Amino acid sequence: MPANHTRRAFLQTISLGLGTTLAFPSIIHAKPSFQKKKLGIALVGLGSYAKNQLAVALAQTDNCYLAGIVTGTPAKAEEWKRKYNIPEKNIYNYQSFDQIADNKDIDIVYIVLPNSMHHEFVLRAAKAGKHVMCEKPMSVSVKEAEEMVAACKKAGVQLGIGYRLHFEPFTQEVMRLGQKKILGDVRFVQTNFGFSIGDPTQWRLKKELAGGGPLMDVGIYCVQASRYATGKEPLWVTAQLGPITDKQRFTTVEESISWQMEFPDGIMVNGFSSYKSNIEQLYVSATNGWFQLGPAYGYGPLKGRTSQGELNLPVVHHQTVMLNGICKEFLENNKFPAHTSGEEGLRDMKILMGIYEAARTGKKISLAS
Ligand code: NDP
Protein backbone atom coordinates (compact mmCIF):
# COMPACT_ATOMS: atom_id res chain seq x y z
CA MET A 1 0.00 0.00 0.00
CA PRO A 2 1.31 3.47 -0.73
CA ALA A 3 2.28 5.54 2.29
CA ASN A 4 -0.69 7.44 3.71
CA HIS A 5 0.44 10.81 2.42
CA THR A 6 1.01 9.38 -1.06
CA ARG A 7 -2.39 7.74 -1.11
CA ARG A 8 -4.02 10.94 0.05
CA ALA A 9 -2.31 12.99 -2.65
CA PHE A 10 -3.51 10.44 -5.16
CA LEU A 11 -7.07 10.40 -3.89
CA GLN A 12 -7.18 14.16 -4.11
CA THR A 13 -6.88 13.95 -7.85
CA ILE A 14 -9.29 11.14 -8.68
CA SER A 15 -11.50 12.39 -11.46
CA LEU A 16 -15.15 12.24 -10.51
CA GLY A 17 -16.30 12.40 -14.05
CA LEU A 18 -18.60 14.80 -15.89
CA GLY A 19 -15.36 16.47 -16.90
CA THR A 20 -14.70 17.55 -13.34
CA THR A 21 -11.76 16.78 -11.12
CA LEU A 22 -13.01 17.72 -7.70
CA ALA A 23 -10.93 18.84 -4.78
CA PHE A 24 -10.95 16.22 -2.07
CA PRO A 25 -11.84 16.89 1.57
CA SER A 26 -8.25 16.88 2.74
CA ILE A 27 -7.76 20.23 1.06
CA ILE A 28 -11.06 21.66 2.29
CA HIS A 29 -10.51 23.55 5.51
CA ALA A 30 -13.94 23.18 7.07
CA LYS A 31 -14.07 23.48 10.83
CA PRO A 32 -14.81 20.10 12.39
CA SER A 33 -17.86 20.17 14.63
CA PHE A 34 -16.92 16.97 16.46
CA GLN A 35 -14.86 17.04 19.58
CA LYS A 36 -15.15 13.25 19.89
CA LYS A 37 -12.23 10.96 19.09
CA LYS A 38 -14.53 8.04 18.20
CA LEU A 39 -17.76 8.41 16.25
CA GLY A 40 -20.78 6.37 17.29
CA ILE A 41 -22.32 4.32 14.49
CA ALA A 42 -25.76 2.69 14.52
CA LEU A 43 -26.28 -0.21 12.12
CA VAL A 44 -29.76 -0.41 10.59
CA GLY A 45 -30.70 -3.98 9.58
CA LEU A 46 -28.78 -6.77 11.27
CA GLY A 47 -28.42 -9.20 8.38
CA SER A 48 -25.45 -11.00 6.96
CA TYR A 49 -23.35 -7.98 5.94
CA ALA A 50 -23.97 -6.10 9.19
CA LYS A 51 -23.20 -9.16 11.30
CA ASN A 52 -20.31 -10.79 9.46
CA GLN A 53 -18.50 -7.74 8.12
CA LEU A 54 -19.50 -4.36 9.57
CA ALA A 55 -19.80 -5.42 13.22
CA VAL A 56 -16.44 -7.19 12.91
CA ALA A 57 -14.93 -4.01 11.46
CA LEU A 58 -16.45 -1.79 14.15
CA ALA A 59 -14.79 -3.91 16.82
CA GLN A 60 -11.37 -3.03 15.37
CA THR A 61 -11.72 0.51 14.02
CA ASP A 62 -9.70 3.32 15.66
CA ASN A 63 -12.07 6.21 15.20
CA CYS A 64 -15.60 4.77 15.28
CA TYR A 65 -17.48 2.09 17.18
CA LEU A 66 -20.79 0.26 17.26
CA ALA A 67 -22.91 2.57 19.40
CA GLY A 68 -26.41 1.43 18.45
CA ILE A 69 -28.58 -0.92 16.44
CA VAL A 70 -31.88 -0.77 14.59
CA THR A 71 -33.60 -4.09 13.95
CA GLY A 72 -37.02 -5.56 13.28
CA THR A 73 -36.06 -8.79 15.04
CA PRO A 74 -36.27 -8.65 18.88
CA ALA A 75 -34.10 -11.76 19.30
CA LYS A 76 -31.26 -10.05 17.38
CA ALA A 77 -31.63 -6.97 19.59
CA GLU A 78 -31.04 -9.17 22.66
CA GLU A 79 -28.14 -11.06 21.08
CA TRP A 80 -26.33 -7.91 19.86
CA LYS A 81 -27.00 -6.05 23.11
CA ARG A 82 -25.20 -8.78 25.05
CA LYS A 83 -22.44 -9.42 22.53
CA TYR A 84 -21.48 -5.78 21.93
CA ASN A 85 -22.53 -4.28 25.27
CA ILE A 86 -25.00 -1.90 23.63
CA PRO A 87 -27.07 0.18 26.07
CA GLU A 88 -30.84 -0.37 25.88
CA LYS A 89 -31.38 3.31 25.05
CA ASN A 90 -29.37 2.85 21.82
CA ILE A 91 -31.55 0.01 20.49
CA TYR A 92 -34.37 0.83 18.07
CA ASN A 93 -36.78 -0.94 15.78
CA TYR A 94 -38.05 0.36 12.44
CA GLN A 95 -41.01 2.09 14.10
CA SER A 96 -39.03 3.80 16.87
CA PHE A 97 -36.09 4.64 14.57
CA ASP A 98 -36.95 8.35 14.27
CA GLN A 99 -36.31 8.84 18.01
CA ILE A 100 -32.63 8.39 17.18
CA ALA A 101 -32.70 12.16 16.55
CA ASP A 102 -32.42 12.71 20.32
CA ASN A 103 -29.55 10.25 20.84
CA LYS A 104 -26.20 12.01 21.17
CA ASP A 105 -24.29 8.70 21.18
CA ILE A 106 -25.18 8.16 17.51
CA ASP A 107 -23.25 10.28 15.02
CA ILE A 108 -23.70 8.14 11.91
CA VAL A 109 -26.54 5.85 10.90
CA TYR A 110 -25.44 3.02 8.57
CA ILE A 111 -28.24 1.57 6.41
CA VAL A 112 -27.70 -2.13 5.66
CA LEU A 113 -31.24 -3.04 4.61
CA PRO A 114 -32.52 -4.59 1.36
CA ASN A 115 -31.98 -2.13 -1.51
CA SER A 116 -35.53 -0.81 -1.85
CA MET A 117 -35.55 0.24 1.82
CA HIS A 118 -32.45 2.45 1.52
CA HIS A 119 -34.39 5.46 0.27
CA GLU A 120 -36.89 5.54 3.13
CA PHE A 121 -34.28 5.08 5.85
CA VAL A 122 -31.77 7.55 4.41
CA LEU A 123 -34.55 10.16 4.29
CA ARG A 124 -35.61 9.35 7.87
CA ALA A 125 -31.99 9.47 9.07
CA ALA A 126 -31.50 12.86 7.39
CA LYS A 127 -34.70 14.14 9.00
CA ALA A 128 -33.35 12.96 12.35
CA GLY A 129 -30.25 15.09 11.69
CA LYS A 130 -27.89 12.11 11.52
CA HIS A 131 -25.08 11.62 9.02
CA VAL A 132 -25.75 8.56 6.88
CA MET A 133 -23.79 5.74 5.36
CA CYS A 134 -25.85 3.66 2.94
CA GLU A 135 -25.02 0.32 1.37
CA LYS A 136 -24.78 -0.22 -2.37
CA PRO A 137 -26.71 0.07 -4.57
CA MET A 138 -27.82 3.31 -2.92
CA SER A 139 -31.40 2.98 -4.23
CA VAL A 140 -33.52 1.23 -6.81
CA SER A 141 -34.06 4.24 -9.11
CA VAL A 142 -32.34 7.44 -10.18
CA LYS A 143 -35.23 9.50 -8.80
CA GLU A 144 -34.82 7.95 -5.36
CA ALA A 145 -31.06 8.47 -5.43
CA GLU A 146 -31.55 12.13 -6.34
CA GLU A 147 -34.02 12.53 -3.50
CA MET A 148 -31.57 10.96 -1.06
CA VAL A 149 -28.77 13.31 -2.10
CA ALA A 150 -31.13 16.31 -1.91
CA ALA A 151 -32.57 15.31 1.48
CA CYS A 152 -29.13 14.96 3.05
CA LYS A 153 -28.00 18.24 1.54
CA LYS A 154 -31.11 20.01 2.82
CA ALA A 155 -30.67 18.53 6.30
CA GLY A 156 -26.98 19.48 6.32
CA VAL A 157 -25.86 15.88 6.90
CA GLN A 158 -23.26 13.82 5.06
CA LEU A 159 -24.27 10.91 2.82
CA GLY A 160 -21.74 8.19 1.98
CA ILE A 161 -22.09 4.93 0.06
CA GLY A 162 -20.34 1.80 1.37
CA TYR A 163 -17.87 1.53 -1.51
CA ARG A 164 -15.35 -0.49 0.50
CA LEU A 165 -13.00 -1.14 -2.43
CA HIS A 166 -12.04 2.53 -2.66
CA PHE A 167 -10.04 1.96 0.53
CA GLU A 168 -8.50 -1.36 -0.57
CA PRO A 169 -4.84 -1.42 -1.77
CA PHE A 170 -5.22 -3.56 -4.94
CA THR A 171 -8.15 -1.42 -6.08
CA GLN A 172 -6.24 1.77 -5.29
CA GLU A 173 -3.40 0.44 -7.43
CA VAL A 174 -5.82 -0.14 -10.33
CA MET A 175 -6.95 3.49 -9.95
CA ARG A 176 -3.33 4.66 -9.97
CA LEU A 177 -2.27 2.53 -12.95
CA GLY A 178 -5.28 3.54 -15.04
CA GLN A 179 -5.78 7.16 -14.13
CA LYS A 180 -2.09 8.08 -14.07
CA LYS A 181 -1.51 6.11 -17.32
CA ILE A 182 1.40 4.21 -15.75
CA LEU A 183 1.18 1.57 -18.50
CA GLY A 184 -0.04 4.01 -21.15
CA ASP A 185 -3.56 4.96 -22.17
CA VAL A 186 -6.32 2.56 -21.20
CA ARG A 187 -7.88 1.09 -24.34
CA PHE A 188 -10.16 -1.73 -23.13
CA VAL A 189 -11.69 -2.99 -19.87
CA GLN A 190 -13.23 -6.41 -19.29
CA THR A 191 -15.11 -6.62 -15.99
CA ASN A 192 -17.13 -9.58 -14.73
CA PHE A 193 -18.74 -10.32 -11.37
CA GLY A 194 -21.17 -13.13 -10.71
CA PHE A 195 -21.95 -15.91 -8.28
CA SER A 196 -24.32 -18.82 -8.05
CA ILE A 197 -27.19 -17.63 -5.85
CA GLY A 198 -28.65 -19.94 -3.22
CA ASP A 199 -31.96 -19.65 -1.34
CA PRO A 200 -34.70 -19.09 -3.94
CA THR A 201 -36.84 -17.18 -1.40
CA GLN A 202 -34.27 -14.45 -0.58
CA TRP A 203 -34.98 -10.74 -1.15
CA ARG A 204 -32.20 -10.49 -3.78
CA LEU A 205 -34.47 -12.44 -6.14
CA LYS A 206 -37.49 -10.14 -5.56
CA LYS A 207 -37.55 -7.05 -7.72
CA GLU A 208 -39.66 -5.06 -5.25
CA LEU A 209 -36.91 -5.41 -2.62
CA ALA A 210 -33.76 -5.66 -4.77
CA GLY A 211 -34.67 -3.34 -7.65
CA GLY A 212 -33.09 -5.81 -10.07
CA GLY A 213 -30.87 -8.87 -10.17
CA PRO A 214 -27.10 -9.38 -10.28
CA LEU A 215 -26.51 -6.04 -12.00
CA MET A 216 -27.81 -4.17 -8.93
CA ASP A 217 -26.06 -6.47 -6.48
CA VAL A 218 -22.64 -7.18 -7.99
CA GLY A 219 -22.64 -5.68 -11.48
CA ILE A 220 -22.39 -2.33 -9.72
CA TYR A 221 -18.78 -3.29 -8.82
CA CYS A 222 -18.04 -3.73 -12.53
CA VAL A 223 -19.53 -0.33 -13.33
CA GLN A 224 -17.46 1.20 -10.54
CA ALA A 225 -14.32 -0.57 -11.80
CA SER A 226 -14.74 0.72 -15.35
CA ARG A 227 -15.01 4.24 -13.94
CA TYR A 228 -12.09 4.04 -11.49
CA ALA A 229 -9.79 2.16 -13.88
CA THR A 230 -10.25 4.87 -16.49
CA GLY A 231 -11.04 7.94 -14.37
CA LYS A 232 -13.70 8.72 -16.96
CA GLU A 233 -17.47 8.56 -17.37
CA PRO A 234 -19.24 6.40 -19.99
CA LEU A 235 -20.77 7.96 -23.10
CA TRP A 236 -23.25 5.27 -24.12
CA VAL A 237 -24.26 1.68 -23.39
CA THR A 238 -25.75 -1.31 -25.17
CA ALA A 239 -26.82 -4.38 -23.18
CA GLN A 240 -28.36 -7.84 -23.45
CA LEU A 241 -30.18 -9.96 -20.88
CA GLY A 242 -28.96 -13.54 -20.64
CA PRO A 243 -31.30 -16.53 -20.92
CA ILE A 244 -33.42 -17.61 -17.93
CA THR A 245 -32.32 -21.19 -17.29
CA ASP A 246 -33.75 -21.36 -13.74
CA LYS A 247 -37.44 -20.57 -13.91
CA GLN A 248 -37.92 -21.06 -10.17
CA ARG A 249 -35.52 -18.33 -9.07
CA PHE A 250 -35.67 -15.79 -11.86
CA THR A 251 -39.30 -14.73 -12.06
CA THR A 252 -38.80 -10.98 -11.45
CA VAL A 253 -35.06 -10.27 -11.84
CA GLU A 254 -32.50 -11.09 -14.53
CA GLU A 255 -30.34 -14.20 -14.23
CA SER A 256 -27.44 -12.59 -16.07
CA ILE A 257 -26.71 -9.49 -18.12
CA SER A 258 -23.94 -8.29 -20.46
CA TRP A 259 -23.21 -4.73 -21.48
CA GLN A 260 -20.85 -2.71 -23.62
CA MET A 261 -19.89 0.91 -22.95
CA GLU A 262 -17.81 3.48 -24.75
CA PHE A 263 -15.80 5.90 -22.63
CA PRO A 264 -14.04 9.06 -23.91
CA ASP A 265 -10.93 8.55 -26.09
CA GLY A 266 -12.49 5.44 -27.61
CA ILE A 267 -12.06 3.26 -24.51
CA MET A 268 -14.37 0.23 -24.73
CA VAL A 269 -15.73 -1.67 -21.71
CA ASN A 270 -17.32 -5.12 -21.71
CA GLY A 271 -19.25 -6.02 -18.55
CA PHE A 272 -20.98 -9.16 -17.35
CA SER A 273 -22.89 -9.92 -14.19
CA SER A 274 -24.66 -13.10 -13.16
CA TYR A 275 -26.45 -14.99 -10.40
CA LYS A 276 -25.56 -18.23 -12.19
CA SER A 277 -21.81 -18.12 -12.95
CA ASN A 278 -19.02 -17.77 -10.41
CA ILE A 279 -16.76 -15.12 -11.86
CA GLU A 280 -14.81 -12.19 -10.44
CA GLN A 281 -12.31 -10.52 -12.78
CA LEU A 282 -11.05 -7.15 -13.93
CA TYR A 283 -8.72 -6.90 -16.93
CA VAL A 284 -7.46 -3.58 -18.29
CA SER A 285 -5.54 -3.31 -21.53
CA ALA A 286 -3.41 -0.19 -22.03
CA THR A 287 -1.12 0.99 -24.81
CA ASN A 288 2.08 -0.17 -23.09
CA GLY A 289 0.84 -3.15 -21.08
CA TRP A 290 -2.01 -4.52 -19.01
CA PHE A 291 -3.17 -4.98 -15.44
CA GLN A 292 -5.68 -7.32 -13.90
CA LEU A 293 -7.28 -8.34 -10.62
CA GLY A 294 -8.77 -11.74 -9.93
CA PRO A 295 -10.41 -12.10 -7.49
CA ALA A 296 -11.25 -8.45 -8.03
CA TYR A 297 -14.29 -7.50 -5.99
CA GLY A 298 -15.03 -9.86 -3.08
CA TYR A 299 -13.80 -9.58 0.49
CA GLY A 300 -10.43 -10.90 -0.58
CA PRO A 301 -7.69 -11.61 -0.45
CA LEU A 302 -7.68 -9.87 -3.82
CA LYS A 303 -4.88 -10.77 -6.22
CA GLY A 304 -3.41 -8.87 -9.10
CA ARG A 305 -0.78 -8.84 -11.85
CA THR A 306 0.42 -6.37 -14.42
CA SER A 307 2.37 -6.94 -17.62
CA GLN A 308 5.39 -6.16 -15.44
CA GLY A 309 4.72 -8.79 -12.77
CA GLU A 310 2.83 -9.76 -9.62
CA LEU A 311 1.23 -7.08 -7.44
CA ASN A 312 2.45 -7.50 -3.88
CA LEU A 313 0.21 -5.39 -1.72
CA PRO A 314 -1.14 -5.70 1.81
CA VAL A 315 -4.26 -7.73 2.44
CA VAL A 316 -6.69 -5.70 4.55
CA HIS A 317 -10.14 -6.13 6.07
CA HIS A 318 -12.12 -4.01 3.60
CA GLN A 319 -14.82 -2.80 5.96
CA THR A 320 -12.30 -1.81 8.64
CA VAL A 321 -10.17 0.31 6.30
CA MET A 322 -13.32 1.82 4.78
CA LEU A 323 -14.81 2.86 8.13
CA ASN A 324 -11.45 4.10 9.40
CA GLY A 325 -10.93 6.08 6.19
CA ILE A 326 -14.39 7.64 6.16
CA CYS A 327 -14.37 8.54 9.86
CA LYS A 328 -10.83 9.91 9.71
CA GLU A 329 -11.82 12.23 6.89
CA PHE A 330 -14.96 13.21 8.75
CA LEU A 331 -13.23 13.91 12.06
CA GLU A 332 -10.58 16.01 10.29
CA ASN A 333 -12.71 17.85 7.78
CA ASN A 334 -16.34 17.48 8.81
CA LYS A 335 -17.10 15.74 5.51
CA PHE A 336 -17.20 12.20 4.18
CA PRO A 337 -14.74 11.45 1.35
CA ALA A 338 -16.14 12.76 -1.94
CA HIS A 339 -15.10 9.65 -3.89
CA THR A 340 -17.63 7.53 -1.94
CA SER A 341 -20.34 10.20 -1.59
CA GLY A 342 -24.04 10.12 -2.40
CA GLU A 343 -23.27 11.94 -5.66
CA GLU A 344 -20.90 9.11 -6.58
CA GLY A 345 -23.66 6.58 -5.85
CA LEU A 346 -26.07 8.61 -7.98
CA ARG A 347 -23.67 8.45 -10.94
CA ASP A 348 -23.66 4.65 -10.66
CA MET A 349 -27.45 4.53 -10.42
CA LYS A 350 -27.74 6.47 -13.69
CA ILE A 351 -25.44 3.97 -15.39
CA LEU A 352 -27.20 0.90 -13.93
CA MET A 353 -30.57 2.21 -15.09
CA GLY A 354 -29.06 2.99 -18.51
CA ILE A 355 -27.86 -0.62 -18.76
CA TYR A 356 -31.34 -1.93 -17.94
CA GLU A 357 -32.94 0.45 -20.44
CA ALA A 358 -30.50 -0.65 -23.14
CA ALA A 359 -31.24 -4.33 -22.42
CA ARG A 360 -35.00 -3.73 -22.37
CA THR A 361 -35.17 -1.66 -25.56
CA GLY A 362 -32.29 -3.14 -27.54
CA LYS A 363 -31.15 0.44 -28.20
CA LYS A 364 -27.88 2.26 -27.65
CA ILE A 365 -28.57 4.48 -24.63
CA SER A 366 -26.71 7.74 -24.20
CA LEU A 367 -25.17 8.26 -20.75
CA ALA A 368 -23.38 11.44 -21.65
CA SER A 369 -25.83 13.79 -19.90
P1 NDP B 1 -29.53 -9.75 4.54
O1 NDP B 1 -30.73 -10.33 3.94
O2 NDP B 1 -28.53 -10.67 5.11
O3 NDP B 1 -29.94 -8.73 5.69
C1 NDP B 1 -30.89 -7.72 5.49
C2 NDP B 1 -31.50 -7.36 6.84
O4 NDP B 1 -32.42 -6.30 6.64
C3 NDP B 1 -32.32 -8.48 7.49
O5 NDP B 1 -31.55 -9.37 8.25
C4 NDP B 1 -33.28 -7.69 8.35
O6 NDP B 1 -32.60 -7.31 9.56
C5 NDP B 1 -33.49 -6.41 7.57
N1 NDP B 1 -34.78 -6.40 6.85
C6 NDP B 1 -35.77 -5.51 7.09
N2 NDP B 1 -36.80 -5.74 6.28
C7 NDP B 1 -36.47 -6.81 5.50
C8 NDP B 1 -37.16 -7.50 4.47
N3 NDP B 1 -38.39 -7.15 4.06
N4 NDP B 1 -36.54 -8.55 3.91
C9 NDP B 1 -35.30 -8.91 4.29
N5 NDP B 1 -34.60 -8.27 5.25
C10 NDP B 1 -35.19 -7.22 5.86
O7 NDP B 1 -28.86 -8.80 3.43
P2 NDP B 1 -27.36 -8.34 3.35
O8 NDP B 1 -26.85 -8.01 4.70
O9 NDP B 1 -26.60 -9.29 2.55
O10 NDP B 1 -27.52 -7.00 2.46
C11 NDP B 1 -27.99 -5.79 3.01
C12 NDP B 1 -27.49 -4.62 2.17
O11 NDP B 1 -26.08 -4.61 2.20
C13 NDP B 1 -27.88 -4.68 0.70
O12 NDP B 1 -28.15 -3.40 0.22
C14 NDP B 1 -26.65 -5.25 0.01
O13 NDP B 1 -26.52 -4.84 -1.33
C15 NDP B 1 -25.56 -4.65 0.87
N6 NDP B 1 -24.34 -5.49 0.87
C16 NDP B 1 -23.15 -4.89 0.61
C17 NDP B 1 -22.00 -5.63 0.57
C18 NDP B 1 -20.69 -4.96 0.31
O14 NDP B 1 -19.71 -5.66 0.12
N7 NDP B 1 -20.64 -3.64 0.30
C19 NDP B 1 -22.03 -7.08 0.77
C20 NDP B 1 -23.32 -7.61 1.12
C21 NDP B 1 -24.43 -6.82 1.15
P3 NDP B 1 -33.35 -7.29 10.98
O15 NDP B 1 -33.74 -8.71 11.23
O16 NDP B 1 -32.32 -6.77 11.89
O17 NDP B 1 -34.53 -6.38 10.85
Side-chain angles (χ1 to χ4, degrees), residues 46 48 71-73 76 94 115 135-136 164 203-204 221:
L46 306 181
S48 162
T71 176
T73 309
K76 289 186 192 170
Y94 303 125
N115 306 341
E135 259 315 314
K136 47 54 58 178
R164 57 185 165 76
W203 64 262
R204 280 182 169 78
Y221 288 93

Side-chain angles (χ1 to χ4, degrees), residues 279-294:
I279 186 162
E280 198 189 320
Q281 290 173 321
L282 171 64
Y283 181 91
V284 183
S285 169
T287 42
N288 302 327
W290 51 265
F291 46 103
Q292 65 179 35
L293 298 185

Side-chain angles (χ1 to χ4, degrees), residues 20-323:
T20 334
T21 299
L22 296 186
F24 270 66
S26 50
I27 56 169
I28 295 171
H29 301 291
K31 192 167 177 284
S33 61
F34 284 94
Q35 301 306 317
K36 293 182 179 182
K37 288 206 165 54
K38 274 197 160 198
L39 299 168
I41 296 190
L43 295 177
V44 185
L46 306 181
S48 162
Y49 193 60
K51 180 179 177 179
N52 300 322
Q53 301 301 331
L54 294 174
V56 172
L58 286 165
Q60 50 197 27
T61 37
D62 308 322
N63 49 21
C64 55
Y65 72 104
L66 180 61
I69 49 174
V70 183
T71 176
T73 309
K76 289 186 192 170
E78 277 310 308
E79 182 194 332
W80 283 61
K81 178 181 157 183
R82 271 198 311 276
K83 187 167 179 187
Y84 296 105
N85 204 17
I86 299 171
E88 188 69 42
K89 70 179 181 61
N90 292 0
I91 301 177
Y92 300 87
N93 59 36
Y94 303 125
Q95 289 71 44
S96 65
F97 172 70
D98 308 279
Q99 294 166 20
I100 212 163
D102 303 320
N103 193 326
K104 293 201 169 18
D105 292 351
I106 313 295
D107 302 303
I108 299 170
V109 164
Y110 196 143
I111 314 296
V112 209
L113 292 162
N115 306 341
S116 70
M117 298 174 75
H118 294 177
H119 174 259
E120 176 190 338
F121 279 86
V122 167
L123 263 54
R124 285 170 70 180
K127 202 167 168 200
K130 297 298 175 186
H131 303 285
V132 205
M133 283 295 298
C134 177
E135 259 315 314
K136 47 54 58 178
M138 73 182 285
S139 64
V140 295
S141 72
V142 171
K143 181 171 174 284
E144 282 188 358
E146 286 171 341
E147 288 171 0
M148 291 155 80
V149 170
C152 290
K153 198 170 176 189
K154 188 171 167 207
V157 299
Q158 294 292 298
L159 172 60
I161 311 302
Y163 288 137
R164 57 185 165 76
L165 290 175
H166 280 244
F167 302 85
E168 191 282 325
F170 285 85
T171 307
Q172 290 176 333
E173 181 63 1
V174 163
M175 294 176 182
R176 190 183 75 87
L177 291 169
Q179 295 180 28
K180 292 195 179 287
K181 303 178 189 253
I182 304 296
L183 296 170
D185 294 337
V186 171
R187 288 282 192 251
F188 174 73
V189 178
Q190 179 74 47
T191 170
N192 311 310
F193 195 8
F195 67 97
S196 177
I197 200 157
D199 178 8
T201 66
Q202 63 186 283
W203 64 262
R204 280 182 169 78
L205 294 168
K206 295 177 182 149
K207 191 169 181 206
E208 74 274 17
L209 283 168
L215 178 65
M216 296 292 278
D217 193 27
V218 291
I220 188 170
Y221 288 93
C222 302
V223 167
Q224 272 268 303
S226 56
R227 295 178 58 227
Y228 58 64
T230 59
K232 298 178 192 293
E233 298 297 320
L235 301 172
W236 56 257
V237 62
T238 52
Q240 305 79 34
L241 293 168
I244 304 280
T245 64
D246 181 341
K247 294 200 169 33
Q248 184 201 8
R249 284 184 173 77
F250 300 101
T251 54
T252 62
V253 302
E254 76 277 5
E255 184 174 310
S256 65
I257 186 164
S258 304
W259 64 94
Q260 306 77 39
M261 296 197 284
E262 183 187 338
F263 281 62
D265 303 325
I267 301 168
M268 288 304 300
V269 171
N270 269 0
F272 174 71
S273 179
S274 168
Y275 273 159
K276 186 82 174 175
S277 312
N278 292 311
I279 186 162
E280 198 189 320
Q281 290 173 321
L282 171 64
Y283 181 91
V284 183
S285 169
T287 42
N288 302 327
W290 51 265
F291 46 103
Q292 65 179 35
L293 298 185
Y297 306 119
Y299 303 146
L302 303 190
K303 288 200 172 129
R305 291 184 66 78
T306 78
S307 43
Q308 298 177 341
E310 200 80 25
L311 287 176
N312 289 309
L313 294 165
V315 171
V316 298
H317 185 252
H318 298 185
Q319 294 76 15
T320 304
V321 292
M322 173 187 75
L323 286 164

